[in-house]
Amino acid sequence: DAGITQSPRHKVTETGTPVTLRCHQTENHRYMYWYRQDPGHGLRLIHYSYGVKDTDKGEVSDGYSVSRSKTEDFLLTLESATSSQTSVYFCAISASVDSPLHFGNGTRLTVT
Amino acid sequence: DQQVKQNSPSLSVQEGRISILNCDYTNSMFDYFLWYKKYPAEGPTFLISISSIKDKNEDGRFTVFLNKSAKHLSLHIVPSQPGDSAVYFCAASEAHSGNTPLVFGKGTRLSVIA
């Protein structure tokens, strides 16, 4: 898993509650990413980071925020969860823009 | 507007035969292409990549071909094995531009039948 830990692995929450997913890496890689995977949509980028405190939006960023205060941690927050955010969330890391991404094992989030 | 397209949602191949997975892209600025394999309940795993300066890259049973004029790439698996049954994602980026993340296709589910 290239030293990537996602927590929690599974979470069930209610509509309207805040949720934070954590990605922790031990590779000291500069780039970190959050993707979501949904049937019929493949992997879609939510947010990414190219350094501590440097983040940018991806294709499906509405309803999500991120923070990266340390190289090793990248947090994804759903401020007020909605049922449309039920998904599997994957964190990924890479050393540079022309090196492969390595993914964690995902967090399955269910919003009821 | 999909920039990376995998038009075949699924593919079935007999064990020992060749599997060919296809991918088309629309962004002519893409210069770095990758294939990932994904098993259920696991994260995607990097398989093989190719940069736009090449038209072929091999790694064991896996070969990726790039046709820039057609904006098309393919992954060949020879010989196919039952353990190759998984979802395969094609991805691309504008690596020369700096901070541009990978864009993924929707995936093709490969089933290798023994």
Side-chain angles (χ1 to χ4, degrees):
Chain A
D1 295 340
I4 307 168
T5 303
Q6 290 188 234
S7 58
R9 290 296 314 276
H10 302 272
K11 186 169 182 68
V12 180
T13 192
E14 293 184 347
T15 298
T17 59
V19 177
T20 295
L21 308 183
R22 181 181 184 237
C23 179
H24 178 78
Q25 60 143 330
T26 58
E27 305 296 319
N28 201 36
H29 283 348
R30 176 183 176 188
Y31 296 87
M32 298 186 76
Y33 310 82
W34 279 106
Y35 284 85
R36 60 179 287 177
Q37 185 192 9
D38 303 288
H41 290 279
L43 291 157
R44 293 182 293 172
L45 181 69
I46 305 171
H47 281 279
Y48 66 104
S49 169
Y50 43 96
V52 173
K53 298 193 189 306
D54 291 324
T55 64
D56 207 346
K57 296 179 179 180
E59 177 189 1
V60 290
S61 60
D62 287 349
Y64 302 94
S65 62
V66 289
S67 67
R68 190 163 178 208
S69 58
K70 298 184 290 185
T71 298
E72 57 265 35
D73 290 324
F74 193 32
L75 304 180
L76 177 70
T77 297
L78 291 66
E79 301 291 346
S80 177
T82 67
S83 57
S84 65
Q85 293 175 312
T86 292
S87 186
V88 181
Y89 291 86
F90 289 101
C91 174
I93 64 173
S94 68
S96 65
V97 292
D98 58 354
S99 60
L101 270 63
H102 296 284
F103 285 82
N105 280 328
T107 294
R108 181 173 293 277
L109 176 68
T110 302
V111 183
T112 61
Chain B
D1 181 27
Q2 267 191 284
Q3 297 189 72
V4 178
K5 300 178 185 180
Q6 295 177 257
N7 292 319
S8 299
S10 62
L11 174 68
S12 289
V13 172
Q14 282 204 312
E15 181 179 7
R17 307 292 281 264
I18 184 171
S19 295
I20 300 177
L21 295 97
N22 293 302
C23 178
D24 297 297
Y25 61 95
T26 58
N27 185 347
S28 59
M29 301 301 287
F30 284 150
D31 58 1
Y32 182 51
F33 304 89
L34 306 88
W35 284 94
Y36 283 81
K37 176 171 72 173
K38 186 183 180 305
Y39 294 121
E42 296 183 8
T45 302
F46 168 68
L47 265 181
I48 191 168
S49 65
I50 188 168
S51 75
S52 58
I53 62 173
K54 294 186 176 182
D55 54 19
K56 177 182 175 181
N57 189 27
E58 288 183 79
D59 184 359
R61 296 186 298 114
F62 302 92
T63 302
V64 56
F65 295 92
L66 176 62
N67 182 334
K68 291 185 290 293
S69 61
K71 295 191 180 69
H72 178 84
L73 65 156
S74 60
L75 175 68
H76 293 209
I77 306 173
V78 184
S80 300
Q81 300 172 353
D84 296 329
S85 297
V87 177
Y88 289 78
F89 291 100
C90 169
S93 75
E94 300 178 36
H96 70 280
S97 298
N99 298 331
T100 57
L102 290 181
V103 178
F104 285 82
K106 293 184 177 182
T108 297
R109 182 178 301 277
L110 173 66
S111 299
V112 180
I113 305 161

